């Protein structure tokens, strides 16, 4: 909302009555409006259960932003908008168990969230999401790392993010053989702090599943039966029904086992539809990755072309400087030679003049001697 309220025309205040932004170009304004249109279309498609179209519109909104703005200007409300949109895509991919696209979107969201936090615990929230996806992939080292980072950056502990983190670490500890009771104890503590029934049933399902895996069936029933009876989430109810069916089969209660089996049969997992949806979403995401790759390649080519132009300019400048230096050097040499020639000419003229003077003196002396000889001869 803050981002959309920051979108203004060339004149007038925004929706909150704030002064219009200074220096907003028509191109920027049009990019803002186009991104908003795609985002709102995505919301509309999602509300009509058109998940593929919704994701496509969200990706279009991101491409509109990334295609019109350099990374250095994606700050403030724009960075928050990018973070929230990538986070939303991560959630949608996660719902379809598409862990790789989910992780990629969460990490992109994290980049923008670090520029402009979406909330006090926004970064911890994203780190928690990434940890959850790695947990699904059974990459427990990465899961533990991101969970601990999320806890380290947590501002307060009275929130859903903190309870999810503690629950995730409890499950991690359980899978790595640190004992059932410590994990269950932490999970029960988080369940007691829940704020609504939906979250409480989610915690119950996790606790019941651990008891089920460790063959503590009576304890598992305490938590799985309420999940089946109260949870509106069909997927979670179906998972609880499967565990309850197995438990009652082991206990020899075929009647109850049959009841849960009937529920499973009435709510099957539509594998073909799910696979088709995942395929379409994955294709959308791959197209987005290809677009990003092409954008990076175009940027790289642009940088290379700029570098080539700079090299050419430097070469031309260097050549001009060299020519200027050579020209100045030649002019200086010629001027020096001209001065030397002029000096030599002047010296020659002076020496010639001196020689002429000496010759005139000698001739005068010779004439004097000749005159004296003539007088002597006469005498």
């Amino acid at each position: 909302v803050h981002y959309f309220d920051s979108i203004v025309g060339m004149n007038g205040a925004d929706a909150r009555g704030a002064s219009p932004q200074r220096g907003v170009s028509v191109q920027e304004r049009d990019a803002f409006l186009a991104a908003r249109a795609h985002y709102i279309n995505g919301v509309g498609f999602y509300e009509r259960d058109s998940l593929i179209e919704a994701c496509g519109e969200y990706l279009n909104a991101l491409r509109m932003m990334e295609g019109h703005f350099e990374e250095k200007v994606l700050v403030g409300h724009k960075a928050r908008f990018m973070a929230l949109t990538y986070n939303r895509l991560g959630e949608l991919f996660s719902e379809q168990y598409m862990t790789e696209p989910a992780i990629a979107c969460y990490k992109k969201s994290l980049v923008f969230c670090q520029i402009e936090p979406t909330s006090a615990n926004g970064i911890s929230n994203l780190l928690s999401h990434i940890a959850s996806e790695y947990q699904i992939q059974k990459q427990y080292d990465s899961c533990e790392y991101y969970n601990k980072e999320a806890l380290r950056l947590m501002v307060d502990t009275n929130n859903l993010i903190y309870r999810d983190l503690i629950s995730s670490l409890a499950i991690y500890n359980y899978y790595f053989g640190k004992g059932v009771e410590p994990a269950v104890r932490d999970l029960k503590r988080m369940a007691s702090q829940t704020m609504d029934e939906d979250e409480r049933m989610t915690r119950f399902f996790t606790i019941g599943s651990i008891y089920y895996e460790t063959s503590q069936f009576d304890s598992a029933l305490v938590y799985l039966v309420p999940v089946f009876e109260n949870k509106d989430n069909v997927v979670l109810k179906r998972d609880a029904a499967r565990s309850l069916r197995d438990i009652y089969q082991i206990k020899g209660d075929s009647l109850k086992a049959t009841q849960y089996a009937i529920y499973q049969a009435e709510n099957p997992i539509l594998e073909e539809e799910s696979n088709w949806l995942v395929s379409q979403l994955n294709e959308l995401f791959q197209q987005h990755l290809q677009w990003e790759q092409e954008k990076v390649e175009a940027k790289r080519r642009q940088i290379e072309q700029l570098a080539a132009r700079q090299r050419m300019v430097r070469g031309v400048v260097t050549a001009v400087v060299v020519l200027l230096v050579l020209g100045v050097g030649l002019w200086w040499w010629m001027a020096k030679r001209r001065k030397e020639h002029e000096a030599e000419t002047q010296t020659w003229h002076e020496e010639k003049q001196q020689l002429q003077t000496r010759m005139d003196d000698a001739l005068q002396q010779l004439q004097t001697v000749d005159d004296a000889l003539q007088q002597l001869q006469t005498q």
Side-chain angles (χ1 to χ4, degrees):
V1 171
H2 287 291
Y3 170 68
F4 291 147
D5 283 348
S6 72
I7 301 172
V8 295
M10 301 308 294
N11 297 299
D14 65 19
R16 296 178 183 272
S19 300
Q21 293 175 323
R22 300 295 181 186
V24 177
S25 67
V26 175
Q27 184 180 10
E28 288 177 336
R29 183 199 62 189
D30 291 345
F32 290 158
L33 295 174
R36 178 174 68 172
H38 285 301
Y39 184 86
I40 293 175
N41 285 342
V43 174
F45 279 123
Y46 181 78
E47 290 178 347
R48 293 193 295 273
D49 295 326
S50 299
L51 185 59
I52 296 172
E53 290 81 358
C55 289
E57 289 297 319
Y58 289 141
L59 289 170
N60 283 335
L62 293 170
R63 283 197 288 267
M64 186 61 61
M65 295 296 295
E66 293 178 343
H68 285 80
F69 299 98
E70 296 290 335
E71 288 185 8
K72 62 183 179 181
V73 301
L74 288 175
V75 296
H77 292 318
K78 291 191 286 292
R80 183 180 290 116
F81 171 73
M82 298 292 289
L84 291 171
T85 306
Y86 268 117
N87 182 63
R88 181 63 180 145
L89 277 167
E91 291 173 347
L92 296 180
F93 288 134
S94 180
E95 289 176 0
Q96 302 303 318
Y97 301 99
M98 299 171 63
T99 56
E100 290 296 339
I103 290 172
C105 288
Y106 284 140
K107 287 185 176 180
K108 287 284 287 187
S109 179
L110 183 62
V111 171
F112 290 105
C113 193
Q114 290 169 335
I115 297 172
E116 186 69 24
T118 55
S119 65
N121 290 313
I123 293 177
S124 291
N125 187 33
L126 285 167
L127 292 170
S128 172
H129 287 328
I130 296 172
S132 297
E133 298 305 313
Y134 279 124
Q135 181 175 322
I136 294 172
Q137 291 185 344
K138 300 186 185 303
Q139 297 186 36
Y140 296 116
D141 289 341
S142 297
C143 173
E144 183 184 30
Y145 169 77
Y146 281 100
N147 271 327
K148 288 184 176 179
E149 279 295 293
L151 278 174
R152 184 178 65 84
L153 298 173
M154 184 69 64
V155 176
D156 62 88
T157 59
N158 187 25
N159 56 70
L160 175 62
I161 301 171
Y162 175 77
R163 293 191 293 273
D164 280 343
L165 284 171
I166 296 299
S167 299
S168 181
L169 284 172
I171 296 170
Y172 171 85
N173 291 333
Y174 161 68
Y175 279 118
F176 272 80
K178 296 183 180 181
V180 175
E181 288 307 317
V184 170
R185 183 174 59 250
D186 286 340
L187 289 168
K188 288 180 178 179
R189 181 164 57 88
M190 293 302 102
S192 67
Q193 298 176 10
T194 55
M195 297 298 181
D196 56 56
E197 187 70 6
D198 183 76
E199 182 188 348
R200 191 167 72 92
M201 290 298 104
T202 301
R203 309 290 180 212
F204 274 23
F205 177 77
T206 305
I207 297 169
S209 297
I210 291 177
Y211 279 134
Y212 168 75
E213 290 180 4
T214 55
S215 301
Q216 300 181 51
F217 299 130
D218 291 336
S219 297
L221 290 174
V222 173
Y223 292 95
L224 292 177
V225 170
V227 172
F228 179 82
E229 292 178 348
N230 298 313
K231 186 67 179 177
D232 293 329
N233 188 313
V234 175
V235 175
L236 205 56
K237 285 191 69 170
R238 185 170 54 235
D239 291 341
R242 181 178 61 251
S243 298
L244 289 169
R245 179 203 62 193
D246 295 342
I247 290 172
Y248 281 112
Q249 282 180 345
I250 294 170
K251 284 179 166 292
D253 193 337
S254 58
L255 180 60
K256 287 187 177 181
T258 302
Q259 291 175 350
Y260 292 117
I262 291 173
Y263 177 83
Q264 282 188 282
E266 291 175 348
N267 297 273
I269 300 175
L270 302 178
E271 292 290 347
E272 293 182 1
E273 180 180 349
S274 177
N275 290 338
W276 178 83
L277 183 62
V278 169
S279 174
Q280 294 298 310
L281 289 175
N282 190 61
E283 183 177 350
L284 269 180
F285 185 70
Q286 292 303 320
Q287 290 173 358
H288 181 71
L289 291 180
Q290 182 179 356
W291 178 85
E292 285 189 333
Q293 183 63 32
E294 290 173 353
K295 179 172 174 285
V296 171
E297 287 295 322
K299 184 69 175 178
R300 182 184 60 78
R301 289 194 297 270
Q302 182 181 2
I303 293 173
E304 289 178 352
Q305 291 171 358
L306 179 61
R309 285 197 295 270
Q310 289 175 341
R311 286 195 298 271
M312 182 180 68
V313 170
R314 284 197 296 269
V316 171
V317 170
T318 302
V320 170
V321 170
V322 170
L323 289 175
L324 285 174
V325 170
L326 290 175
V328 171
L330 181 62
W331 174 83
W332 177 82
W333 180 79
M334 292 179 66
K336 181 181 179 183
R337 290 296 301 161
R338 184 170 60 252
K339 288 182 180 179
E340 291 175 350
H341 178 68
E342 289 176 353
E344 290 174 354
T345 302
Q346 181 66 25
T347 301
W348 180 77
H349 281 298
E350 291 175 355
E351 291 176 350
K352 180 182 177 183
Q353 186 65 33
Q354 291 174 359
L355 182 60
Q356 185 67 42
T357 301
R358 286 197 296 271
M359 287 178 64
D360 290 343
D361 292 342
L363 287 173
Q364 184 66 34
Q365 291 175 1
L366 183 60
Q367 185 64 41
T368 302
V369 172
D370 186 61
D371 290 344
L373 287 174
Q374 288 181 358
Q375 288 178 5
L376 182 62
Q377 186 178 8
T378 300
Q379 292 175 357

